[in-house]
Amino acid sequence: MGLGKIGVVLAVLCWGFGASGETPSKPQAAKVLRYAFEIAETGFDPAQISDYYSRTATENMFDALYRYDYLARPAKVIPNVADGMPVITDDFRNYTIKVKPGIYFADDPAFGGKKRELTAQDFVYTFKRIFDPKTKAQIYPDLEEVKLLGMDALRRAAEKPGASFNYDTDVEGLRALDRYTIQFKMLESKPRFIYLLTESSVLGVVAREVVEKYGDKIMEHPVGTGPFKLDQWTRSSKITFVKNPNFREEYYEAEPPADDELSQEIYRQMKGKRIPVVDKVEISIIDEVQPRWLSFLGNEHDFLMYLPAQFANQVIPNNKLAPNLVKKGIRIERYAAPEVTFSYFNMENPTVGGNTVDKVALRRAIALAYNTEEEIRVPRRNQAIAAQGVVPPNTWGYDPKFKSEMSDYNPARAKALLDMFGYVDKDGDGWRDMPDGSPLVLEYATSPSAADRELNEVWKKSMTAVGIQVVFKTAKWPENLKAARAGKVMMWGLGNSASSPDGGSFLDFGYGPQKFEGNLAAFQNDEYDKLYRQQVVMPDGPDRLAIMQKMVKILVTYMPYKFNTHRIRTDVMQPWLIGYRRHPTSRAFWRYVDIDLSKLPKP
């Protein structure tokens, strides 16, 4: 994510201008997309990042083999730098893919002044890098689960004391068959492997020369083949991206649904335009909701990603755009986001962790005491629905009829559970204690924003009502994430958004081998892990769905997570922003939008 000055694109002068006396055409102003992230980025190395905002940046700088059609619904995978769809054999165990020739990385000193073409070997290196323990790749558990033949052995060899990862070792499961052909071979059937091959945000192809040149500084030096490149970066403040001059010749194409009038109109407006259309993207980091909204109202931003719930009553009364904003030409898009908000319990924490009956009772009592309805009504301004489990709307496997205890609000039952298992006030100070008499104090990680403070108030009010003391430990989001991955957080509330159309990908929340990674709670359950491994090799269908629902019930029973809501999101657009449409899983929208300079307000 980067920042810079607004440039101009000079019109090309006619040959012989000096002799003919012709006047040059007027310079055209640059088209700049401006908006804000609500949470700061962590960096730009696809292999190391995990947060939504950094992944938004990398998804627009790096390429994967495949991507999603921007307008197709349901989500449709199409070739990106791959030359056609994969040849799949051996019951989804072998994928052979051709890479398009003539695709180049952005210029960088690592290439010694030469243009660097993308090859199949670059994908081999990119995937191997995820297995290198030194990389500490956040997506490693997902790729480990694929079981590429030979890669686990290569990883284990690199984990030995004093050893390093050998990138030059040939492995059966990950090979460049020639300059433009890559082959993946897996131990087990992987019918949804194609979704991983769209993950440009975390599996975007990188060049070995770049990684080796910048070493530990690679988070600051993204070099991809995508439509944009980093221009300037002021950490946690502002980032500017500019067009990648080496980006291939590509034109807007899509398959909008025939019955979707908005997508059809966007397609008419954008069809045939060369991608990317805008020249520059400027991202501000504004964590407080009011200044983010005021920046949009003041025409400083072209787009407001996620209308803050605090302004829902003002902007979308009765869930329709307010008349005064309609008059300005402002537009909105509302959708059930494929995401889940949750609070987790660190299962290794001595206060709230563990699978003994009394610890399970404590977590279930806390969940029953938490007022999800108030969270939806007050901090979220009715812009959410209660979550019954981890699988979100608009993903495969979500069942709107499924009901569980997860969303129940029952303080009386919570108190009864606490009393039954000895969580009572033993010292008469008004707060419940642990069964051994030590204080029962929940430590909840949070961030210093108005939105977090409102959510904290619901937690405080809910816990106080049943006699549980809660204190809030405030830090910036990246700091909380670092502490969470180190197992140093007792409780934390955050959200997760789908990166593929498969709701089953959310089930790694409880998968033991991903503890403190995808499984932040560090939940361990043999039955859950067995079911997880079983469903991951199954094609989509009723049998897989039944297993997924059984896994959700296990999470409800042990309550390592309190899944709170699925948010109803609203994006807000200025009249001069053309072509925007929220995709269910992809964040790579920068290349698909345009700025109508004639509609921009005059300074």
Side-chain angles (χ1 to χ4, degrees), residues 178-193:
D178 57 41
R179 183 172 179 82
Y180 301 113
T181 308
I182 184 171
Q183 185 179 70
F184 301 92
K185 286 189 174 183
M186 302 150 212
L187 179 64
E188 300 172 340
S189 174
K190 296 297 176 185
R192 286 166 294 280
F193 182 59

Side-chain angles (χ1 to χ4, degrees), residues 476-510:
K476 289 284 189 179
W477 197 92
E479 296 169 21
N480 281 332
L481 180 62
K482 183 178 180 180
R485 296 207 181 282
K488 296 179 180 179
V489 170
M490 179 192 292
M491 295 177 65
W492 188 22
L494 59 169
N496 199 10
S497 181
S499 58
S500 86
D502 178 35
S505 63
F506 283 74
L507 296 174
D508 56 7
F509 268 63

Side-chain angles (χ1 to χ4, degrees), residues 193-208:
F193 182 59
I194 189 73
Y195 294 146
L196 267 179
L197 299 180
T198 69
E199 287 280 10
S200 58
S201 63
V202 288
L203 281 171
V205 63
V206 297
R208 184 170 183 173

